[in-house]
Amino acid sequence: VVTPSYNQGQFIERTISSVLDQNVPSLEYMVIDGASTDGTVDILKNYEARLRWISEKDNGQAEAVNKGLRSTGGDIIGWLNSDDIYYPGALSAVISLFEECPQADVVYGDAYHIDERDRIIEDYYTEDWNFERLKEVCFLCQPAVFFRRRILERFGFLDAGLKYCMDYEYWLRLGADAPFVRMKKKLAGSRMYRENKTLGQRIAVHREINHMLLNRL
């Protein structure tokens, strides 16, 4: 599991706990922090016996995730942002489904939108797998998506030039030729609050998505 982080000290301990409390044997967890100034580093130091972390300036979320992917070696990869959480049993369920479906390259599950206090706002809109439909709407909740490391050899890493929709672009890149399998189980909480990128910069988010789709489709 890779967590990109920057000045999310109010949430990151809940994120870390949700990963470590999964109690998955041989879990490799790495936090890539972008030189936070809000106390995040002190929190990371408290957990360094159970995870690896670095804190240094970077060029954004996608670069941080890529750095984490290159610095880890697990066969199954999860990417959990520093304000999101996994629900109990999520990783064990994902591992079991990958074992049952050796042909699957990507497994995704259901999720909730949650608020600052982890309270459920609503279901995250999710659909059964259909690549043509994915071109119309991103129905995958990023923290509830997991993929095999072999994906990186075939499709490369995230587009570090994207600031907002690097996950959607990656799912489109994979979806054209990689088997996706849906798990109808709530795996993650995706946090929505006024200051986060999705809500706080909606015009910029949609502009980048439109440009990405024009270039890709």
Side-chain angles (χ1 to χ4, degrees), residues 3-19 29 31 36 38-40 43-44 47 80-86 114-119 121 189-197:
T3 291
S5 166
Y6 183 66
N7 284 343
Q8 291 285 0
Q10 62 177 322
F11 300 124
I12 192 169
E13 191 157 22
R14 280 178 269 174
T15 299
I16 291 171
S17 295
S18 80
V19 176
Y29 186 28
V31 179
S36 292
D38 66 344
T40 292
I43 295 171
L44 294 174
Y47 288 91
L80 186 68
N81 291 328
S82 53
D83 53 356
D84 296 334
I85 58 172
Y86 288 144
I114 59 173
D115 67 11
E116 295 98 324
R117 299 182 182 179
D118 300 345
R119 296 175 300 193
I121 300 173
S190 178
R191 204 175 301 277
M192 299 292 285
Y193 53 102
R194 187 170 55 186
E195 293 80 13
N196 80 345
K197 289 197 298 184

Side-chain angles (χ1 to χ4, degrees), residues 119-136:
R119 296 175 300 193
I120 295 169
I121 300 173
E122 61 187 359
D123 286 349
Y124 188 103
Y125 181 74
T126 308
E127 296 183 7
D128 291 339
W129 176 246
N130 184 305
F131 180 58
E132 294 304 314
R133 175 65 174 157
L134 185 67
K135 296 177 183 179
E136 300 174 0

Side-chain angles (χ1 to χ4, degrees), residues 153-187:
E153 299 174 1
R154 294 176 59 198
F155 298 95
F157 293 77
L158 301 183
D159 183 344
L162 296 174
K163 185 176 181 181
Y164 304 106
C165 68
M166 70 288 294
D167 53 341
Y168 188 19
E169 188 277 334
Y170 201 56
W171 312 148
L172 287 170
R173 204 188 322 161
L174 272 54
D177 194 43
F180 280 58
V181 175
R182 180 183 180 184
M183 171 186 295
K184 293 187 178 181
K185 175 181 174 64
K186 290 292 191 302
L187 300 179

